[in-house]
Amino acid sequence: MARRTPFSFGRGWWFIGVIIIIGAVLALTVAAGMASEPDEQGFWRILVVDTGVGGGSTTIYGWYYSRPALVLVAALAAVTVVALWLIARPPVGVDEANDVQLRRLRTLNILAVASGALLVHLGGILSSLAGTAFFNGGVRTGNGGWMVFGTPFAALEPALSLAGIAVTALGYALWVGVLLSAIPARRRVRALVRA
C-alpha cells in the first residue's frame, strides 16, 4: 500500500527524458543570455562581434526573448505535475489491471505532450542560434584590404540548423503519437458497442 505520487504510473526513463530536455533548454538559454548584450532600447537581444578594426552585431536568443519563454516552461512543468497528480490521486478501480494500464497510458501521453512542447521550443532556440551563427560581415582594413568576420560559433551553423529541424520534428512526432494512441481505444469501444 505505497502512497501514490505524480510519478507512480510512469517509468523512470519517461521522467528522465523530460528532465534532460528541460536541462538542454536551460543550458542553451543561459549560454545565449550570457552572450547577449543590450541594444539601443536596452533589450538584451544582440550579439556584438568586435574585430578590433571594426565589427557588427546581430540578434541572438538573449535574455529579452528567453525570460518570457522560461516563464512558460515553468508553467508547463507545473501544469504537467498537476495533471500527473490528478491521474494518480483517485483510488484504483475494481479492474485494477485495466485501471493501472489506462493511468500509465495517460501518464505517458501527458509526458509526451509536455516533451513535444519542450522539444518544439528547443528546436526554435537551436534554429535561432543557427541564424545568429550564420551572421558574417566584412570591414576594410587600413592598407586597402578586406577582413571578413563572423560569430565565434559560426562553424556550428549547419549542426545547429540540422539539430533545430530534427528536434522540432521529434516534438511534432510525439504529439502525433499521442493522437494515434487514441485510435486503438476507439476501436475497442466500437467493438464493445456492436457486441
Side-chain angles (χ1 to χ4, degrees), residues 10-31:
R11 293 189 167 85
W13 62 272
W14 295 352
F15 301 103
I16 291 171
V18 175
I19 291 168
I20 288 171
I21 298 167
I22 290 174
V25 166
L26 292 177
L28 287 175
T29 297
V30 169

Side-chain angles (χ1 to χ4, degrees), residues 151-166:
T151 60
F153 56 99
L156 294 176
E157 187 271 328
L160 288 169
S161 240
L162 191 61
I165 292 167

Side-chain angles (χ1 to χ4, degrees), residues 73-96:
V73 166
L76 175 67
V79 167
T80 301
V81 170
V82 168
L84 293 174
W85 182 75
L86 290 173
I87 290 170
R89 186 168 180 260
V92 176
V94 176
D95 186 2
E96 184 178 340

Side-chain angles (χ1 to χ4, degrees), residues 44-64:
W44 289 74
R45 60 182 175 187
I46 63 166
L47 175 71
V48 175
V49 179
D50 186 11
T51 63
V53 294
S57 65
T58 185
T59 58
I60 188 169
Y61 182 78
W63 296 123
Y64 176 74

